[in-house]
């Protein structure tokens, strides 16, 4: 043990009493070093594969060219094979007449007759140059001159339009090196040499198991309180992407005996086992206990100073890596890419990943936990002077942050924050940055997706970053976006949005969203009442629970106005979105709340209209002439755009 790990002393840490498995939290570097030391060096097994099945594999050995390519001196044009010396005096005014030999050399035809001085042989592109000839004249530079003769009006240099044997690939030359990843170009080189199969590193077989009573496989209906197994699919794909042969074995319930049987079976058949879930301190979390019984040396690291990803568990059982990824998909992905991919690629005979990196400015302060290396996903947009990286994180339980992110940045374990304005290195998820054509930062609305649909179909990349109305306005003032969608009510003027505009911004009318009370259809307390009466009825019933909205939301202002200072049961439940309000009511967690009509209707809930909210756009004037901005304005004003909004329950302005 070279470094002292960050140790959690259970006696000193009151909340660690039941965290027995996290007694020792290793630094990321220490955990990786110990894991690799327990696995390597090891031989990478080889196998022979047909070319068609070798795509993406790593060559196991150097390949030496067994033949010359081309195998003979080859004509590069359609024309005539000649002796160049015969044409030394040829010119515009002094054509040279050549007799044609009684032979036509098509592709695949071996020449039979030599080219003697004063003669030429008709030859096709790809045909073998006959004995005696040392150059080829293009057919375009010749003229027929009576029976079986041509005239040539320009000289030819020796070797003209001839590719000599071995000029592309020389017999005995090292064609490809061991470790090269076989792509279509490598396959082309091998095929040109007549090689039909090659020795490649055998892809490690990796078994994947998800764990949790709550997991349902995609394609099956979701039971109450269940969620779809995300990690199974995502880890399977990431293993394939990194040279493994993935074998997904499904999700196993949190049952020690069942899980142990599944893990043993997986380890018998595979070279590596990746589980997810069941590694934190929950009651059902058993996988790490099983590992101790599966082989030596067992657990190498359990608890790594990473965020997200602290509960990661790394083990080696009789030479095979066994990994338990954290359950939350984002944590699972980061730890997989950061800690498991290097090991998997080494086992697969692949070189380390070389991810592209760019430098970008952080527009807002990002707080970070001291003592853990932290990963933050970011969305890149083009600012006035360089790239800007917006954090897209929605917490380690979120999955979409991955899809919307362009890459991630790492905050050092010893840093408490990245200050606003700092320059950071962003590791890209793709080989190149694709800066979006249109950047929308502010409050999100499902109507926005309807308006931007035609832009996406036209190939424009639209990036919508959801930071709320005020966050969007701030970004617009800094010139970091094209539009900021806002719905801000000003109590003094009793108007929406206009009072909030600053210099350099212009209001573009969007649409109206009907805000109102949601309740479950058939609830007698609300059915048929006005919004005011419905709230009165709710307040009169002590068993009635509400769901509120977060401070700062336009909806919250309306709720507080209706409540007139009352704070009934549920008032402190303050989710941040319209959908969360509808879900709480639909699932009986609350009886009423306020949301917008389209969301209430999509959840099949009762709805009492209350007030129309203005959802508009603060346009950054300096960016108005950009083609994507114009395309957005056109889509917003178009008949199709308006019809789509109306269809979804919005009222275009
Ligand atoms: P666990 O470590 O098993 O307590 O899981 C932590 C969280 O991750 C819980 O909210 C789980 O429901 C969730 N989770 C675990 N496995 C998966 C999975 N395969 N797909 C999606 N979420 C998961
Ligand atoms: Mg679990």
């Amino acid at each position: 043990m070279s470094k002292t790990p960050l140790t959690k002393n259970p006696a000193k840490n009151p909340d660690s009493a039941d965290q027995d498995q996290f007694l020792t939290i290793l630094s990321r570097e220490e955990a990786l070093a110990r894991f690799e030391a327990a696995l390597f060096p090891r031989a990478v097994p080889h196998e022979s594969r047909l070319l068609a099945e070798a795509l993406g594999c790593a060559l196991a050995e150097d390949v030496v060219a067994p033949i010359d390519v081309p195998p003979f001196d080859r004509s590069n044009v359609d024309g005539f094979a000649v002796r160049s010396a015969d044409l030394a005096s040829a010119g515009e005014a002094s054509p040279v007449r050549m007799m044609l030999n009684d032979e036509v050399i098509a592709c695949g035809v071996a020449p039979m007759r030599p080219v003697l001085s004063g003669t030429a042989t008709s030859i096709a592109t790809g045909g073998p140059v006959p004995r005696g000839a040392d150059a080829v004249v293009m057919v375009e530079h010749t003229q027929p001159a009576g029976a079986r003769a041509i005239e040539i009006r320009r000289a030819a240099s020796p070797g003209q339009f001839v590719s000599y044997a071995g000029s592309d690939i020389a017999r005995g030359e090292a064609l490809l090196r061991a470790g090269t990843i076989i792509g279509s170009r490598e396959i082309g080189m091998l095929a040109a040499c007549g090689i039909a199969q090659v020795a490649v590193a055998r892809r490690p077989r990796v078994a994947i198991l998800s764990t949790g009573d709550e997991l349902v496989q995609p394609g099956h209906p979701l039971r109450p309180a269940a969620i779809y197994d995300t990690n199974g699919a995502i880890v399977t794909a990431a293993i394939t992407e990194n040279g493994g042969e993935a074998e997904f074995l499904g999700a196993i319930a949190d049952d020690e005996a069942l899980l142990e049987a599944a893990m043993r079976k997986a380890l018998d058949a595979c070279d590596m086992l990746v589980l997810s879930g069941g590694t934190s301190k929950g009651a059902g979390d058993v996988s790490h206990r099983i590992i101790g019984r599966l082989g030596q040396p067992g657990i190498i690291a359990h608890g790594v100073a990473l965020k997200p990803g602290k509960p990661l568990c790394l083990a080696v059982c009789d030479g095979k890596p066994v990994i338990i990824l954290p359950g939350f998909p984002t944590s699972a992905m980061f730890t997989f890419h950061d800690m498991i991919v290097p090991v998997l690629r080494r086992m697969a005979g692949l070189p380390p990943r070389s991810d592209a990196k760019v430098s970008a400015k952080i527009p807002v302060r990002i707080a970070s936990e001291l003592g853990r290396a932290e990963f933050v996903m970011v969305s890149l947009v083009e600012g006035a002077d360089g790239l800007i990286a917006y954090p897209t994180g929605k917490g380690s339980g979120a999955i979409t942050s991955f899809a919307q992110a362009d890459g991630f940045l790492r905050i050092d374990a010893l840093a408490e924050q990245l200050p606003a304005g700092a320059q950071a290195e962003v590791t890209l998820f793709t080989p190149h940055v694709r800066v979006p054509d249109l950047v929308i930062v502010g409050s999100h609305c499902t109507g926005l997706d309807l308006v931007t649909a035609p832009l996406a179909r036209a190939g424009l990349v639209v990036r919508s970053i959801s930071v709320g109305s005020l966050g969007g306005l701030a970004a617009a003032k800094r010139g970091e976006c094209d539009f900021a969608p806002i719905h801000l009510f000003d109590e003094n003027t009793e108007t929406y949005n206009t009072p909030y505009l600053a210099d350099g911004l212009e209001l573009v009318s969007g649409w109206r969203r009907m805000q109102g009370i949601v309740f479950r259809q058939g609830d007698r307390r609300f059915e048929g009442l006005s919004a005011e009466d419905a709230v009165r009825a709710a307040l009169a019933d002590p068993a009635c629970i509400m769901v509120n909205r977060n401070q700062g939301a336009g909806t919250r202002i309306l709720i507080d106005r209706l409540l007139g200072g009352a704070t009934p049961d549920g008032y402190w439940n303050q989710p941040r979105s319209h959908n969360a309000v509808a879900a709480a009511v639909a699932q009986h967690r609350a009886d009423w709340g306020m949301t917008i009509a389209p969301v209430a209707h999509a959840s099949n809930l009762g709805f009492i209209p209350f007030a129309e909210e203005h959802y508009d756009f603060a346009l950054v004037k300096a960016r108005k002439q950009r083609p994507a901005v114009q395309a957005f304005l056109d889509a917003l004003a178009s008949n199709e755009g308006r019809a789509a909004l109306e269809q979804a329950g919005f009222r275009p302005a």
Side-chain angles (χ1 to χ4, degrees):
M1 195 186 302
S2 55
K3 277 187 241 164
T4 316
L6 298 169
T7 303
K8 270 204 174 177
N9 182 338
K12 284 186 187 159
N13 190 333
D15 75 10
S16 65
D18 51 356
Q19 274 190 327
D20 57 321
Q21 66 271 40
F22 288 139
L23 290 186
T24 311
I25 308 267
L26 298 181
S27 73
R28 168 188 173 274
E29 290 71 24
E30 178 73 20
L32 196 54
R34 289 191 195 183
F35 193 38
E36 292 191 325
L39 286 168
F40 302 107
R42 60 162 61 202
V44 175
H46 297 177
E47 65 183 0
S48 178
R49 284 195 178 222
L50 293 172
L51 285 197
E53 281 143 27
L55 191 66
C57 293
L59 264 185
E61 304 163 340
D62 291 354
V63 176
V64 172
I67 60 163
D68 284 326
V69 178
F72 47 82
D73 297 346
R74 182 181 67 194
S75 171
N76 278 341
V77 293
D78 289 335
F80 298 93
V82 296
R83 288 173 174 256
S84 58
D86 287 349
L87 298 175
S89 65
E92 273 310 316
S94 52
V96 172
R97 192 159 189 271
M98 309 277 265
M99 295 308 295
L100 283 181
N101 292 308
D102 181 20
E103 177 173 54
V104 173
I105 305 170
C107 268
V109 171
M112 304 298 286
R113 306 193 200 299
V115 171
L116 302 175
S117 186
T119 72
T121 299
S122 176
I123 189 167
T125 305
V129 176
R131 179 183 167 86
D134 63 3
V136 177
V137 176
M138 282 172 84
V139 67
E140 293 88 330
H141 299 153
T142 66
Q143 271 172 341
R148 313 223 50 77
I150 51 169
E151 253 180 26
I152 303 174
R153 285 170 194 272
R154 56 171 87 186
S157 50
Q160 170 179 291
F161 298 130
V162 176
S163 282
Y164 287 101
S167 57
D168 190 354
I169 299 169
R171 180 201 304 251
E173 141 183 29
L175 187 61
L176 292 168
R177 293 288 181 194
T180 304
I181 308 301
I182 301 177
S184 53
R185 288 169 304 173
E186 287 71 24
I187 285 184
M189 292 168 76
L190 294 164
C193 289
I195 296 172
Q197 55 187 52
V198 281
V200 296
R202 182 171 71 68
R203 292 196 166 113
R205 270 188 291 277
V206 185
I208 300 115
L209 272 172
S210 300
T211 70
D213 295 337
E214 74 280 26
L215 299 179
V216 173
Q217 291 307 315
H220 297 270
L222 213 51
R223 336 175 271 277
I227 58 168
Y228 282 118
D229 176 7
T230 313
N231 295 342
I234 202 168
V235 172
T236 300
I239 282 169
T240 309
E241 275 175 355
N242 287 284
E245 202 162 285
E247 201 160 319
F248 177 51
L249 302 177
I252 307 286
D254 290 312
D255 174 298
E256 195 155 345
L258 276 181
L259 190 56
E260 178 161 352
M263 288 170 75
R264 284 187 186 279
K265 204 168 150 213
L267 272 179
D268 277 347
C270 294
D271 306 303
M272 175 169 171
L273 170 60
V274 182
L275 296 104
S276 67
T279 175
S280 39
K281 58 179 177 175
D285 297 336
V286 294
S287 4
H288 62 276
R289 285 211 296 270
I290 298 170
I291 288 180
R293 303 193 284 269
L294 295 183
Q296 291 305 315
I299 291 181
I300 305 279
H302 191 187
V304 179
L306 274 180
K307 186 176 179 182
K310 181 167 106 180
L312 176 69
C313 177
L314 305 174
V316 175
C317 298
D318 297 341
K320 296 184 178 180
V322 178
I323 296 112
I324 314 179
L325 300 172
F328 273 140
T330 300
S331 314
M333 279 329 288
F334 268 119
T335 45
F336 183 82
H337 282 290
D338 193 51
M339 310 279 288
I340 315 306
V341 164
V343 165
L344 173 59
R345 293 184 72 94
R346 242 176 115 173
M347 287 176 67
L350 297 177
R353 262 186 106 93
S354 55
D355 292 320
K357 296 187 163 84
V358 293
S359 174
K361 196 168 84 180
I362 313 302
V364 288
R365 173 180 177 273
I366 308 176
S368 172
E369 187 181 321
L370 205 57
R372 284 162 78 187
E374 184 156 349
F375 296 100
V376 181
M377 272 180 277
V378 294
S379 232
L380 292 171
V381 302
E382 188 89 65
D385 39 31
L387 290 172
I388 312 252
Y390 268 96
T392 61
K394 298 182 184 174
S396 55
I399 184 75
T400 50
S401 31
F402 248 110
Q404 285 162 7
D406 294 301
F408 63 90
L409 51 88
R410 227 183 94 191
I411 306 180
D412 194 77
L414 296 177
E416 265 179 301
Q417 62 151 343
L418 264 185
Q423 208 58 35
E425 185 182 68
V426 175
T427 304
L428 299 178
F429 287 141
T430 51
H432 306 285
V433 203
R434 171 77 157 101
V435 185
D437 300 293
L438 186 74
V439 180
I440 300 174
V441 180
S443 165
H444 188 76
C445 174
T446 48
L448 204 48
D449 304 333
L450 302 173
V451 175
T452 56
L455 277 70
R457 280 198 300 275
L460 294 171
V461 176
V462 179
R463 173 66 46 76
S464 151
I465 300 173
S466 173
V467 296
S469 296
L470 289 171
L473 267 183
K477 283 178 199 163
R478 291 192 301 259
E480 290 165 6
C481 61
D482 299 298
F483 291 103
I486 54 174
H487 51 105
L488 293 165
F489 186 68
D490 178 54
E491 306 222 35
N492 296 326
T493 56
E494 302 233 324
T495 54
Y496 269 100
N497 301 332
T498 318
Y500 290 88
L501 291 184
D503 277 354
L505 301 182
E506 165 184 332
L507 198 76
V508 174
S509 291
W511 48 90
R512 307 287 179 255
R513 313 194 295 189
M514 185 53 82
Q515 297 264 13
I517 304 286
V518 266
F519 59 95
R520 287 179 298 282
Q521 286 187 14
D523 190 332
R524 292 258 174 77
R525 289 170 294 193
F526 305 109
E527 203 78 72
L529 300 183
S530 70
E532 289 81 357
D533 288 343
V535 171
R536 227 168 276 138
L539 290 175
D541 178 359
C544 194
I545 298 184
M546 73 170 293
V547 50
N548 203 349
R549 277 297 306 277
N550 55 303
Q551 195 63 258
T555 312
R556 170 65 173 267
I557 297 172
L558 299 177
I559 298 174
D560 281 337
R561 206 198 278 174
L562 271 174
L563 285 173
T567 56
D569 197 3
Y571 186 86
W572 301 107
N573 181 21
Q574 305 183 349
R576 307 189 64 86
S577 79
H578 295 300
N579 286 51
V581 170
V585 174
Q587 293 163 12
H588 294 249
R589 224 165 91 62
D591 302 305
W592 71 277
M594 184 171 291
T595 190
I596 56 175
V599 168
H601 294 145
S603 297
N604 220 0
L605 291 168
F607 184 76
I608 305 169
F610 176 57
E612 229 182 17
E613 179 184 60
H614 295 210
Y615 183 88
D616 298 323
F617 298 90
L619 163 62
V620 177
K621 281 189 205 162
R623 296 167 80 121
K624 194 169 178 178
Q625 294 316 319
R626 293 162 67 111
V629 171
Q630 289 299 318
F632 179 83
L633 293 173
D634 290 346
L636 186 60
S638 71
N639 288 336
E640 302 89 282
R642 297 173 66 88
L645 286 167
E646 268 168 22
Q647 165 97 38
F650 301 103
R651 197 166 68 82

